[in-house]
């Protein structure tokens, strides 16, 4: 059973460009969350997708947008890249469909984005 | 405001000994969940253990246990019989009832196990 897979694993972009990161959730999971982890820090919540809609959003500008497809996979798009967007971007999947406080999130290995 | 505080940037432990990683949290919710994740150099976050705010017993998962002190708002991770493979970053995280979709993480503690 494949876990959460993210692509690409590494990416280098120039300031001002746009980037798309991809995530396939663990089999059977229907919810995808995206996190940004800057060097030396803990992950910061960007947003979560469920039933192809953004369900909740963290404190990130509109340059960060996303999408969830009918097969539950997801994309994270970042426009007008800044140097400060350099980070490890983690995708986490879970099985939602109801309130469950102890829902465990499974993480992928992340995409390391470097903006130069 | 910082929701999760991990005050130990780095910790060292001798192989086969026990180590405690500290975590304090801040919430006004009565219902919340606390998680610990391990992040090796590969980057993947690996779930270790979960504690619910209404759980009366401290959670245990193999060599991992969570020392939950609700009144002090602390949720320390105890790793017993440390192994070299335990060397990694460890993150404490919280999910609140009223903000269920957002998992907040601390800054992490880097654990190094010495042979």
């Amino acid at each position: 059973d494949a876990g959460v897979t993210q692509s690409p694993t590494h990416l280098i972009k120039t300031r001002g460009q746009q980037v798309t990161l991809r995530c396939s959730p663990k089999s059977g999971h229907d919810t995808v969350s995206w996190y940004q982890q800057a060097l030396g820090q803990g992950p910061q919540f960007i947003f979560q997708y469920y039933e192809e809609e953004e369900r909740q959003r963290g404190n990130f500008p509109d340059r960060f947008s996303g999408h969830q497809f009918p097969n539950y996979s997801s994309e994270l798009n970042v426009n007008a890249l800044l140097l400060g967007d350099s980070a490890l971007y983690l995708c986490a999947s879970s099985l939602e469909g109801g309130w469950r406080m102890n829902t465990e999130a499974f993480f992928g290995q992340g995409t390391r984005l470097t903006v130069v | 405001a910082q929701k999760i505080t991990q005050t130990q940037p780095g910790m060292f432990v001798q192989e086969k000994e026990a180590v405690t990683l500290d975590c304090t949290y801040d919430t006004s919710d009565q219902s919340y969940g606390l998680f610990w994740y391990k992040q090796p150099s590969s980057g993947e976050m690996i779930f270790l253990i979960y504690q619910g705010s209404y759980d009366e017993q401290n959670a245990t998962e193999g060599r991992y246990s969570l020392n939950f002190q609700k009144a002090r708002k602390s949720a320390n991770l105890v790793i017993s019989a440390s192994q070299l493979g335990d060397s990694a970053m460890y993150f404490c995280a919280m999910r609140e009832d009223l903000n269920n979709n957002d998992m907040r993480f601390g800054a992490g503690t880097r654990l190094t196990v010495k042979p």
Side-chain angles (χ1 to χ4, degrees):
Chain A
D1 176 26
V4 180
T5 57
Q6 292 187 242
S7 63
T9 54
H10 294 83
L11 202 52
I12 299 175
K13 288 286 189 178
T14 303
R15 190 172 50 182
Q17 284 188 314
Q18 179 263 346
V19 68
T20 297
L21 311 181
R22 295 176 177 82
C23 172
S24 292
K26 181 177 169 63
S27 178
H29 284 184
D30 58 7
T31 302
V32 173
S33 303
W34 286 92
Y35 291 82
Q36 180 195 66
Q37 186 179 16
L39 197 62
Q41 297 182 22
Q44 301 286 320
F45 176 75
I46 302 175
F47 41 54
Q48 183 182 85
Y49 277 85
Y50 173 66
E51 293 188 339
E52 301 180 48
E53 291 194 359
E54 184 182 292
R55 186 159 70 167
Q56 189 168 347
R57 188 181 186 91
N59 189 22
F60 279 80
D62 292 344
R63 299 187 297 109
F64 289 77
S65 63
H67 190 77
Q68 185 179 34
F69 299 93
N71 67 353
Y72 305 123
S73 67
S74 177
E75 289 182 349
L76 164 65
N77 301 293
V78 187
N79 294 323
L81 284 166
L82 304 174
L83 297 179
D85 294 331
S86 294
L88 179 69
Y89 288 84
L90 293 163
C91 168
S93 76
S94 55
L95 180 60
E96 305 288 326
W99 180 86
R100 258 183 291 176
M101 180 56 63
N102 65 339
T103 297
E104 176 188 339
F106 289 82
F107 284 81
Q109 288 193 315
T111 294
R112 186 161 298 282
L113 172 65
T114 303
V115 182
V116 297
Chain B
Q2 191 68 25
K3 293 270 188 176
I4 298 286
T5 302
Q6 294 180 256
T7 57
Q8 305 154 316
M11 289 283 286
F12 290 87
V13 65
Q14 206 66 38
E15 192 178 8
K16 298 181 186 178
E17 292 186 350
V19 63
T20 298
L21 307 184
D22 294 342
C23 172
T24 58
Y25 58 91
D26 180 28
T27 181
S28 55
D29 260 354
Q30 295 301 309
S31 181
Y32 51 89
L34 297 158
F35 301 78
W36 276 91
Y37 282 86
K38 171 184 178 181
Q39 187 178 43
S41 56
S42 61
E44 182 180 359
M45 301 284 278
I46 301 168
F47 168 76
L48 297 177
I49 197 167
Y50 165 83
Q51 178 85 42
S53 58
Y54 290 120
D55 294 341
E56 295 184 354
Q57 303 266 1
N58 284 345
T60 60
E61 290 283 351
R63 293 187 300 112
Y64 304 107
S65 60
L66 202 151
N67 183 3
F68 181 46
Q69 298 185 46
K70 193 170 180 177
R72 296 181 59 187
K73 293 188 176 177
S74 75
N76 298 339
L77 176 70
V78 180
I79 305 175
S80 62
S82 296
Q83 302 171 357
L84 295 178
D86 293 336
S87 294
M89 285 292 291
Y90 287 80
F91 291 95
C92 179
M94 177 174 65
R95 234 181 180 180
E96 297 167 288
D97 183 1
L98 294 180
N99 199 20
N100 187 249
N101 306 312
D102 176 3
M103 187 177 286
R104 303 289 186 99
F105 286 82
T109 296
R110 180 170 296 282
L111 177 66
T112 303
V113 181
K114 297 183 188 177

